[in-house]
Amino acid sequence: MTVTLTTRIGPGYTTTPTFTQHTFWAGEQHIIIANENTGKGPLTEVARIDGADGNDLITLAMWADAAHQRDARTALLIPYLPGARQDRGTPFGAKVYADLINAMHLDQVICMDPHSPVMPNLINNLTVIRSAAVIRKYVVGRPDRDIPQRYAGIIAPDKGAIARATTVAKSCGLPVYKAEKHRDPNTRELSGFTCEPLPDTGKFLVVDDICDGGGTFIGLAAATGLDKTRLGLYVTHGVFTDRAANLADHFAEIWTTNSYAPNPKPAGLNPTDPRADAFHTINIDAYLRNAITTPEPALAA
């Protein structure tokens, strides 16, 4: 299971979880009342989902129904927003996923750094956590907090990443450099990469939201002409198929968060492989928890 259920009282005290998950022999998802929290105070039932397994959405729907029946507030932490890369065409996957989530009538949905600018507008009561503060704190550094900056600039790997990379660069007080993917106009296959000229010294951080196999980032690394010791990569959602292990041959550091999986590493990468040391995971659980809102109690008449 990749669904985690917790229960909060009032503005943030965590108590024993009200619900636990169960699967019937035939395969149906179910929710069981594990602890009776009625009478402890105003309850917020919180669900956290990792990955993109469709079965987990059925578990979430069961959990939401159970919480609603008990008049509890509901908050869904879904840092990796599934369907965000399907925000056009047929089927319109972003809307399909959004409709499934909206059907649960949740009080709050919290995601991080969604790939699509379209999908956030499709989900009701959505709170979006951006990645700039995470990158500044854990990857780049903060001179104002006596944490030396480790990078001299931010690289946007393609046109779709320019807005995200620019926001990060402004947050860190660094310049942004633009790269671009080129496609054959007839086949639409990738034909190469280019990058703006980079300074002769310093390290540069490529910033994007999702990495599967990493082919785009490897092509970009080659286009910069820089040795891997001068390149780092940050992706919020590290899906990391087995080919992603090759990223360590082109980037000295590969940073991601635990948004998609608890400790994302390329599939099949042996921990004894020296390339494993290049992959780092930032725990964003506190950012997700802090984004949960609790309505102010009504004032007495």
Side-chain angles (χ1 to χ4, degrees):
M1 283 292 183
T2 56
V3 177
T4 304
L5 305 178
T6 56
T7 301
R8 288 166 60 129
I9 303 173
Y13 174 75
T14 301
T15 187
T16 52
T18 303
F19 303 114
T20 190
Q21 305 164 59
H22 177 73
T23 302
F24 290 115
W25 286 108
E28 297 98 332
Q29 304 304 308
H30 187 53
I31 292 293
I32 295 172
I33 299 173
N35 296 285
E36 185 53 74
N37 290 313
T38 301
K40 291 183 177 180
L43 299 180
T44 298
E45 299 296 345
V46 181
R48 161 76 183 267
I49 182 170
D50 295 303
D53 188 339
N55 288 324
D56 292 337
L57 292 178
I58 300 300
T59 298
L60 288 173
M62 295 291 180
W63 158 81
D65 182 77
H68 293 325
Q69 288 194 40
R70 296 171 66 81
D71 295 322
R73 192 170 186 277
T74 51
L76 169 60
L77 313 182
I78 184 166
Y80 174 78
L81 203 56
R85 288 186 284 182
Q86 301 162 268
D87 63 356
R88 68 197 71 189
T90 304
F92 187 3
K95 188 174 186 303
V96 171
Y97 276 103
D99 287 347
L100 290 170
I101 294 171
N102 288 340
M104 301 177 200
H105 304 291
L106 303 171
D107 293 292
Q108 188 179 16
V109 180
I110 300 169
C111 75
M112 183 168 183
D113 200 8
H115 174 79
S116 167
V118 174
M119 193 173 185
N121 295 322
L122 301 175
I123 297 180
N124 299 333
N125 304 322
L126 182 67
T127 299
V128 176
I129 301 172
R130 301 298 178 183
S131 58
V134 173
I135 296 172
R136 182 178 61 177
K137 179 177 180 179
Y138 292 98
V139 184
V140 172
R142 295 190 59 178
D144 60 323
R145 301 285 179 86
D146 294 325
I147 304 173
Q149 281 189 321
R150 303 171 60 245
Y151 288 91
I154 304 297
I155 299 176
D158 54 33
K159 290 181 179 178
I162 289 176
R164 179 180 291 102
T166 300
T167 299
V168 171
K170 288 181 178 178
S171 175
C172 298
L174 294 174
V176 62
Y177 300 91
K178 300 179 181 67
E180 191 169 352
K181 293 185 289 190
H182 302 281
R183 297 183 182 275
D184 184 298
N186 297 315
T187 65
R188 300 303 299 161
E189 294 292 326
L190 285 175
S191 59
F193 302 83
T194 56
C195 183
E196 290 182 337
L198 299 170
D200 294 333
T201 60
K203 295 168 57 179
F204 299 89
L205 181 70
V206 178
V207 170
D208 211 345
D209 58 328
I210 300 175
C211 177
D212 287 322
T216 293
F217 302 115
I218 291 172
L220 167 62
T224 67
L226 300 183
D227 182 83
K228 78 172 189 176
T229 58
R230 294 185 61 200
L231 284 174
L233 172 65
Y234 169 90
V235 289
T236 303
H237 312 294
V239 179
F240 294 154
T241 62
D242 55 351
R243 293 180 299 143
N246 296 326
L247 287 166
D249 297 327
H250 303 269
F251 296 90
E253 299 176 323
I254 300 100
W255 295 86
T256 190
T257 75
N258 62 332
S259 63
Y260 181 80
N263 189 25
K265 294 285 179 69
L269 181 62
N270 192 311
T272 61
D273 188 321
R275 295 178 298 176
D277 294 336
F279 290 84
H280 307 278
T281 301
I282 301 167
N283 189 318
I284 58 165
D285 290 358
Y287 290 87
L288 297 172
R289 291 193 301 267
N290 291 340
I292 299 173
T293 58
T294 303
E296 293 293 331
L299 296 176

